[in-house]
Amino acid sequence: MRCAKCARPESTLKPMEKRAFGILGEISCLTLGGGRIGQVWGATSRDEAVVTVREAVEAGITFLDVAPGYGRGEAELVIGAAF
């Protein structure tokens, strides 16, 4: 069987590596930055951003980086819509 997204055999896919992060416990080593989904570097459709967030979480990413400057809260709204 193959991964639908990357066409690699599922047996070669590794689980997301995690690390301890203070009182939060474990988080993924990779982070999804919210700048692009908050349209900081140009237009991104909300649908495209929601799909990106969902796929990142599905891949094991548990650390989502957002800040008030990322589209004046748009990144947070997109993440909320993804869940």
Side-chain angles (χ1 to χ4, degrees):
M1 183 167 225
R2 295 190 173 272
C3 170
K5 292 183 177 80
C6 65
R8 289 176 54 190
E10 284 189 30
S11 62
T12 65
L13 300 177
K14 296 179 182 176
M16 180 64 64
E17 186 178 335
K18 303 204 178 204
R19 296 211 173 117
F21 191 75
I23 63 171
L24 295 178
E26 288 190 338
I27 61 168
S28 58
C29 288
L30 295 178
T31 302
L32 177 64
R36 188 67 181 166
I37 62 177
Q39 301 184 20
V40 172
W41 299 289
T44 303
S45 76
R46 182 172 273 222
D47 290 342
E48 180 181 34
V50 166
V51 167
T52 299
V53 171
R54 287 180 179 163
E55 288 185 358
V57 171
E58 188 178 305
I61 293 177
T62 59
F63 187 21
L64 308 176
D65 171 33
V66 295
Y70 294 166
R72 296 184 180 169
E74 179 63 19
E76 289 91 337
L77 293 172
V78 167
I79 289 170
F83 290 104

